[in-house]
Amino acid sequence: MQHVILGNGIAGVSAAEAIRRMDPRAGITMISDEQTVPYSRPMISMLLDGSAAPEQLPIRAERFYEDLGVTALLGKRVDAIDLQARRVALAGRAPVPFDRLLIATGADARRVEAQNDGLQNIFTMRRREDVQAMLAALGGTRRALVLGGGLVGFKAAYGLMKRGCRVTMLITSAYPLSMQVDETAGKMILDELLHHGLEVRVGVSVTAFEGRTSVSGAQLSDGGKVACDMVVIGKGVTPALDFVPLDRIDVDLGIRVDKHLETGAEGVYAAGDVAQCTDIARGRPWINAIWPEAAAQGRTAGMNMAGRAVAYRGSLGRNVMRVFDLDVMTLGLVDPPDDGTCTALTWQDPRRRMYRKLVLRENVPVGAVLINAVEQGGVLLSLIRNRAPLAIPPERLLEPSFNVRQLMGWG
Amino acid sequence: MKQVVVHPERCVGCMQCMVACAVAHSRSGQLYTALAERPRPRPRVHVGAGLYNEGFPNRCRHCDPAPCLLACLAGAIFRDAHTGTVLIDPDKCINCASCAMACPYGVIRFHEDPVAPPGKTVAVKCDNCDQRVAQGLAPACTEACKSGALTYEEMDEAMRRKTAEVARSVSTGAETAAVPPALALLMAVKKAELSL
């Protein structure tokens, strides 16, 4: 059996390991445009803020591919999939035949539509090389402009501030991380960042960049200007699927897969940021482009490819980050639609800067936000994931003394 | 292989296990000197309160598969092949709290620790006292527990004993309760307190 895996991110790596565990003799080929041993993508922001060294990034041994018996074709991007002949086409190389194919190509950073966006020192932050290039440019950087208040923009701003840059963040919504947290938590995070010297401009975007070879400023949609010698674009990602035959493989937000992570084409699977699964909290198709779900999907896809039918229960959005003195954890659906199907409970202790929110659909927890004291977050996550109705008053879950024993009832 | 077995119905909430655990994971290993140590030694077992304020000793289950291990972004969490214990490498840990987001029991804490690089906050949890066990000692929490809520025994044996206790307590004319009368009284008082 020949398995071909496109992508060496955590989804691809987890799939290769699952296949190898199931089938010691299977042929496995991994194709990736990143030329390294697999590394921890979430950690690139720590490379920027200086809390991690480059040698801490690899998540597998130097001889990962050899040890696992994987043929690695690195530095190559797939051009096309031929489903009839069952092979993938690569530039400058003979096509690679497959019996089972996994598309785990992840996503690429989105650029912005603005004049002169080809100037030097305008970065996206998706790969290790991106951060290495940013670090190389850091010497000449005094003022940085970060576009977007999402996770990447936010981590870029945090990292650059830690490195001593003056940072201006432009966001379109009223507070940062509006996709991840509710308004109360968002305002707390914003206050924390402002307190540490971040400048935030709300409701504006960039129309053009200025500079001769390297960026020196940006023109804004409100007519204003910002001087800067570095720009980081954190405007989200788009699934990397331009090689996918759209007539045979169904694509919506990402590649549609069934519960076994198989696409509409037999023997072709998808996992990670490129795949569209069902969101457990929302109950509808969604892409939760996060590392732990990519790992779980890769593992599940690998087992299915190797012949063991394993169902994937769906994905759940979640994040945890430490922002100066705030620990922020978000789980599932935190800003529910205003249609009366969900109720939200909140609890706050301003003195200890603690905030908690629990979102319920009928009596089933579907989302939570925790600011500070996040240790019990995993208990809430497993409740949300298991979709079990609560047997105790939901207010209990918000109290600082909440622990797993209380879920076992009054026995 | 022996392991730590938790009997929550026997916990009186005295927190002696927490003290013993903190001391066992201190530099000196002695209570009085441990009190003066910096970073302050902290427990890896956590006694919490249940719904009627009964005690509950919460510790790492060393799950297999372990959600924290699968969620670790830095590859710092691993399983000891010999003992099966899930361990955290303090040098690799990046204090990102992804493990806390994954742990369904809420047993992971973040603080400086004698075994971590000085000044570094890391994820810390129960290590099954593997070092004590290697020296022929029992895990510190089980040694300190006087109410039988934490025992160190073969799981099969613990299951058999428990089954027999329950069977005896439901038999007609039973004279022995599943938990000792003093403990049962304590729990009854705690429940009554709450209803008042």
Side-chain angles (χ1 to χ4, degrees):
Chain A
M1 183 74 80
Q2 281 301 322
H3 296 275
V4 173
I5 297 171
L6 310 182
N8 72 341
I10 190 62
V13 168
S14 302
E17 290 173 336
I19 293 168
R20 184 53 79 222
R21 234 182 351 263
M22 303 283 301
D23 185 351
R25 284 194 302 274
I28 306 175
T29 304
M30 289 182 84
I31 302 170
S32 169
D33 64 341
E34 288 196 277
Q35 306 204 39
T36 57
V37 284
Y39 65 91
S40 178
R41 191 177 303 286
M43 278 177 73
I44 63 168
S45 61
M46 308 187 70
L47 204 58
L48 180 66
D49 68 32
S51 61
E55 62 271 17
Q56 284 176 278
L57 259 59
I59 46 165
R60 295 295 184 271
E62 196 67 48
R63 287 177 45 84
F64 167 75
Y65 301 111
E66 294 91 326
D67 290 349
L68 205 62
V70 167
T71 307
L73 304 175
L74 304 181
K76 312 229 179 291
R77 214 164 162 120
V78 170
D79 287 335
I81 302 171
D82 185 343
L83 288 170
Q84 242 82 53
R86 296 193 83 72
R87 56 191 194 185
V88 292
L90 302 173
R93 201 190 176 284
V96 181
F98 67 84
D99 297 310
R100 299 271 185 277
L101 177 69
L102 176 66
I103 305 170
T105 41
D108 294 318
R110 207 177 273 145
R111 304 282 306 188
V112 285
E113 296 287 326
Q115 279 172 29
N116 300 329
D117 63 350
L119 288 170
Q120 277 174 29
N121 290 355
I122 299 178
F123 299 100
T124 54
M125 199 167 106
R126 178 71 186 165
R127 295 151 173 266
R128 186 158 69 173
E129 302 96 89
D130 299 335
V131 171
Q132 280 163 340
M134 285 167 74
L135 289 174
L138 208 57
T141 303
R142 293 285 166 275
R143 294 204 51 159
L145 181 66
V146 172
L147 310 184
L151 276 170
V152 167
F154 185 78
K155 289 187 171 179
Y158 178 80
L160 290 168
M161 285 164 75
K162 282 253 162 184
R163 293 278 185 180
C165 300
R166 270 183 70 190
V167 182
T168 304
M169 184 189 257
L170 305 186
I171 49 180
T172 41
S173 46
Y175 54 88
L177 299 174
S178 59
M179 298 288 281
Q180 277 78 29
V181 301
D182 67 343
E183 194 175 343
T184 311
K187 291 271 163 66
M188 286 175 80
I189 296 167
L190 181 59
D191 284 348
E192 181 75 5
L193 289 171
L194 294 174
H195 175 72
H196 282 88
L198 179 76
E199 196 181 310
V200 178
R201 307 275 301 264
V202 171
V204 280
S205 55
V206 166
T207 52
F209 296 109
E210 295 173 342
R212 221 170 280 164
T213 53
S214 185
V215 69
S216 63
Q219 293 173 12
L220 307 182
S221 55
D222 63 358
K225 279 187 185 184
V226 176
C228 59
D229 23 44
M230 182 188 284
V231 174
V232 184
I233 302 167
K235 286 288 183 187
V237 293
T238 46
L241 41 69
D242 50 358
F243 55 89
V244 172
L246 298 177
D247 53 328
R248 296 285 308 280
I249 293 177
D250 202 6
V251 171
D252 180 18
L253 302 165
I255 298 172
R256 276 205 180 119
V257 291
D258 65 13
K259 65 179 178 180
H260 298 295
L261 297 167
E262 193 169 6
T263 68
E266 204 194 331
V268 179
Y269 296 74
D273 295 358
V274 78
Q276 172 182 310
C277 301
T278 302
D279 183 289
I280 291 176
R282 291 180 173 83
R284 59 191 172 92
W286 201 264
I287 302 180
N288 284 308
I290 55 172
W291 198 87
E293 290 294 4
Q297 288 169 19
R299 208 159 46 241
T300 309
M303 285 192 271
N304 283 297
M305 289 165 75
R308 178 170 174 238
V310 180
Y312 177 71
R313 282 198 290 176
S315 68
L316 192 60
R318 56 188 182 274
N319 254 295
V320 59
M321 67 215 109
R322 301 193 192 268
V323 190
F324 293 105
D325 293 329
L326 288 184
D327 297 344
V328 182
M329 189 183 286
T330 71
L331 310 165
L333 189 59
V334 297
D335 242 346
D338 212 4
D339 58 2
T341 59
C342 294
T343 50
L345 297 148
T346 58
W347 179 93
Q348 214 167 352
D349 182 347
R351 197 175 54 81
R352 284 187 284 173
R353 295 214 296 167
M354 282 170 69
Y355 171 68
R356 268 137 208 256
K357 177 180 186 177
L358 181 70
V359 181
L360 298 147
R361 187 178 286 126
E362 278 155 19
N363 198 27
V364 179
V366 291
V369 181
L370 304 177
I371 292 189
N372 287 341
V374 299
E375 289 85 356
Q376 302 303 315
V379 183
L380 300 179
L381 179 78
S382 67
L383 274 178
I384 296 168
R385 195 193 278 286
N386 292 338
R387 282 184 284 194
L390 283 180
I392 61 169
E395 296 78 21
R396 282 266 178 185
L397 275 58
L398 300 177
E399 286 169 15
S401 60
F402 169 71
N403 65 69
V404 69
R405 173 72 178 101
Q406 301 184 350
L407 292 174
M408 299 171 195
W410 299 84
Chain B
M1 198 171 67
K2 282 188 178 180
Q3 53 180 297
V4 177
V5 185
V6 182
H7 312 267
E9 74 282 2
R10 288 171 178 264
C11 178
V12 295
C14 70
M15 301 189 186
Q16 287 297 316
C17 53
M18 294 175 68
V19 176
C21 179
V23 172
H25 293 93
S26 68
R27 277 207 186 85
S28 63
Q30 302 294 327
L31 175 62
Y32 291 106
T33 42
L35 286 170
E37 283 179 25
R38 293 290 175 275
R40 198 179 71 191
R42 296 196 199 214
R44 298 163 177 221
V45 56
H46 311 281
V47 175
L51 291 177
Y52 54 95
N53 292 330
E54 79 279 24
F56 177 64
N58 199 11
R59 68 189 282 285
C60 174
R61 272 70 163 176
H62 303 277
C63 314
D64 190 7
C68 60
L69 192 157
L70 296 173
C72 181
L73 299 182
I77 306 185
F78 63 103
R79 186 185 304 279
D80 184 289
H82 179 62
T83 60
T85 300
V86 176
L87 297 166
I88 303 176
D89 182 339
D91 289 294
K92 283 192 180 169
C93 175
I94 55 172
N95 185 30
C96 68
S98 291
C99 50
M101 192 164 65
C103 176
Y105 300 105
V107 297
I108 302 172
R109 298 291 180 274
F110 302 88
H111 50 76
E112 291 180 35
D113 192 81
V115 299
K120 186 183 176 190
T121 296
V122 293
V124 181
K125 64 166 200 69
C126 167
D127 60 358
N128 268 339
C129 276
D130 276 356
Q131 286 184 350
R132 283 174 58 96
V133 172
Q135 293 162 13
L137 298 168
C141 58
T142 66
E143 205 175 76
C145 183
K146 299 295 181 284
S147 66
L150 294 161
T151 58
Y152 184 55
E153 55 190 324
E154 298 288 340
M155 186 50 103
D156 284 356
E157 209 162 295
M159 298 282 269
R160 257 198 304 277
R161 193 163 45 79
K162 195 119 193 170
T163 308
E165 274 173 9
V166 172
R168 272 200 301 277
S169 70
V170 298
S171 304
T172 44
E175 281 173 12
T176 47
V179 291
L183 271 179
L185 178 65
L186 178 70
M187 300 302 171
V189 168
K190 284 185 183 263
K191 279 186 192 175
E193 261 176 6
L194 202 73
S195 59
L196 288 173

